[in-house]
Amino acid sequence: MFEHFETDAIRIQTKRTGEKEHSTPLFLTSSFVFDDAEHARALFAEEVTGNQYTRFSNPNTTELIDKLCSLEHTEDGIATASGMSAVFTSVFGLVKSGDHIVSARAIFGSTHQIFANILPRFGVTTTYVDINKQELWESAFQENTKIVYIETPSNPGLDIVDLAWVSALCKKKNAILIVDNCFCSPYIQKPADFGADIVIHSATKYLDGQGRVIAGIILGKKEYIQPIRYMARNTGPSLSPMNAWIISKSLETLAVRMDRHSENAIKLAEFLEGSPEVELVRYPFLPNDPGYAIAKKQMKSGGGIVSFVIKGGVDRARKFLDALKWFSLTANLGDTRTTVTHPTSTTHSKLTEAERVAVGILPGLIRVSVGLEHIDDIIAEVKQALLNSK
């Protein structure tokens, strides 16, 4: 609508009511009334647009999706009750029994559970491919491959996928490309600009940005959103109007928050690179990072996540976490407050050790979601925890 991201994020909103409110009101209603019997019939026949029932649509969720479609450069979308419901609904709305998925091996633990243990119950199989071995991707496709699924950057190893390359491969193979853009947000990366068909988010993370609500977002081409919307409408993973309103308001500060997250994260990553207590640091905008060249091509900045491997394995990692004085130990990320987790024992604990190692989740790996506190305080906290965990 506007020329610049920040203006769209602030100014796209629900049409003002007769009350002349400045901020979008909350539409806390389960259903909507019809003008007459013919209007009701036409709405349910999808001959006219409008609200029928909040499980289907609501002015607050519509505003959120309209705003995010503009920010992500996509045609259509739906909001869901959580990030994982966005993952499942986007995939399950597009596949049928007998279909096949090609997925990057480096994906979130719960997404792996869907592909490995839930979808096979319905006759849908998955082949995993290493992100960094492009030569193996084409051979992973089968005649029945319907979807390619990736995260970039991946959680928590921060591997980077070349979006333009994988999109071209999907078009060649007639497969639908789904990209989890949670770690970047549309401010830092727009997968649709590089050919992604569907873009999903755990809006719980940076889109909310303050650790208040659970939500998911599915955006993309109308031809793919239509069957996904049918699945969501009839299975019910709908987002509440309250949570949609909160996230839409949060988007007004997304740009300034992501700038600060990225500014703090690169400084923390540089500090960790120089620490003798650290074996490895992963951050997309570090020049020594394996994904640096691709990240610079498709990302505006490096984002707010830093992963590092502390010397001493699991025991040292736990001591490091216990030595922290004010960082929040939580599995969530994207908060204004710095949060830390040990993926091996939490978010990715359901994977086998071999599966974790294959995607770079080493025993001593620690994921830091760098917050908006002063960077000097953040570095001082990490420094003292490294010292006191020896």
Side-chain angles (χ1 to χ4, degrees):
M1 181 181 293
F2 293 96
E3 183 177 352
H4 296 99
F5 182 100
E6 293 86 343
T7 311
D8 273 351
I10 292 170
R11 285 292 175 176
I12 293 176
Q13 67 181 64
T14 302
K15 184 178 179 180
R16 188 169 292 148
T17 74
E19 298 300 327
K20 304 298 183 182
E21 70 281 348
H22 185 229
S23 180
T24 297
L26 272 165
F27 292 87
L28 296 180
T29 178
S30 57
S31 64
F32 301 84
V33 298
F34 312 121
D35 295 338
D36 49 37
E38 172 56 22
H39 181 226
R41 184 206 64 78
L43 277 171
F44 276 84
E46 299 184 17
E47 295 173 0
V48 297
T49 59
N51 297 305
Q52 308 163 34
Y53 193 60
T54 286
R55 175 159 58 88
F56 304 161
S57 67
N58 177 285
N60 293 123
T61 54
T62 298
E63 175 187 287
L64 176 61
I65 290 300
D66 286 348
K67 189 177 290 189
L68 283 168
C69 280
S70 178
L71 301 182
E72 280 280 16
H73 297 172
T74 54
E75 297 174 352
D76 199 1
I78 65 169
T80 64
S82 69
M84 287 313 304
S85 67
V87 173
F88 183 75
T89 307
S90 63
V91 173
F92 208 66
L94 295 171
V95 296
K96 64 182 184 306
S97 181
D99 283 342
H100 174 254
I101 297 169
V102 173
S103 172
R105 193 180 305 279
I107 55 175
F108 182 55
S110 292
T111 307
H112 170 76
Q113 294 301 316
I114 289 175
F115 290 163
N117 299 318
I118 297 176
L119 288 178
R121 301 178 193 173
F122 302 93
V124 179
T125 58
T126 300
T127 298
Y128 289 108
V129 185
D130 290 338
I131 286 176
N132 299 317
K133 297 180 180 178
Q134 289 188 356
E135 69 278 6
L136 300 180
W137 277 70
E138 190 158 354
S139 63
F141 282 77
Q142 301 174 7
E143 291 184 1
N144 58 339
T145 299
K146 184 69 175 287
I147 286 172
V148 172
Y149 184 96
I150 62 173
E151 297 174 5
T152 183
S154 67
N155 181 9
L158 300 179
D159 287 321
I160 305 296
V161 182
D162 188 329
L163 288 168
W165 176 84
V166 74
S167 174
L169 179 60
C170 288
K171 287 177 172 55
K172 175 182 175 182
K173 296 293 187 177
N174 197 31
I176 301 168
L177 176 58
I178 300 179
V179 179
D180 184 333
N181 197 32
C182 173
F183 271 25
C184 282
S185 86
Y187 180 67
I188 289 180
Q189 177 175 266
K190 294 177 174 59
D193 285 355
F194 296 90
D197 299 302
I198 296 291
V199 180
I200 61 175
H201 290 272
S202 171
T204 312
K205 312 304 191 293
Y206 288 111
L207 300 190
D208 173 22
Q210 295 171 68
R212 298 168 296 186
V213 302
I214 300 291
I217 300 293
I218 307 171
L219 307 165
K221 297 178 179 177
K222 284 184 180 292
E223 63 182 297
Y224 300 129
I225 293 297
Q226 183 176 359
I228 294 170
R229 178 178 285 112
Y230 172 84
M231 179 64 65
R233 176 169 173 160
N234 288 287
T235 57
S238 50
L239 181 63
S240 74
M242 171 67 83
N243 287 356
W245 182 87
I246 289 172
I247 296 168
S248 185
K249 296 299 290 182
S250 294
L251 291 176
E252 297 181 10
T253 61
L254 179 62
V256 292
R257 286 188 285 108
M258 295 310 297
D259 281 341
R260 181 63 173 268
H261 283 302
S262 298
E263 177 187 335
N264 280 354
I266 185 66
K267 291 177 180 177
L268 176 62
E270 289 169 346
F271 163 77
L272 289 167
E273 264 197 324
S275 172
E277 303 301 319
V278 174
E279 293 180 354
L280 174 70
V281 182
R282 293 301 309 271
Y283 185 72
F285 268 39
L286 282 178
N288 292 329
D289 191 89
Y292 176 76
I294 299 172
K296 292 287 285 188
K297 181 177 69 171
Q298 63 194 33
M299 295 168 62
K300 179 184 178 72
S301 61
I305 307 296
V306 177
S307 290
F308 68 97
V309 179
I310 194 169
K311 290 181 178 178
V314 171
D315 289 342
R316 178 75 185 281
R318 289 174 176 168
K319 290 178 182 178
F320 174 85
L321 295 182
D322 290 342
L324 292 168
K325 295 179 178 179
W326 57 268
F327 280 6
S328 303
L329 304 188
T330 176
N332 196 26
L333 60 92
D335 201 301
T336 56
R337 292 166 287 192
T338 298
T339 67
V340 186
T341 191
H342 179 234
T344 293
S345 58
T346 57
T347 56
H348 292 71
S349 60
K350 297 297 189 297
L351 276 65
T352 67
E353 183 176 356
E355 287 170 337
R356 287 194 294 268
V357 171
V359 294
I361 304 176
L362 301 176
L365 183 75
I366 293 169
R367 187 191 72 193
V368 184
S369 174
V370 185
L372 306 184
E373 305 96 346
H374 196 283
I375 186 58
D376 290 350
D377 295 325
I378 293 172
I379 290 177
E381 168 77 331
V382 172
K383 185 183 295 185
Q384 69 82 22
L386 288 172
L387 178 65
N388 293 322
S389 62
K390 287 185 178 181

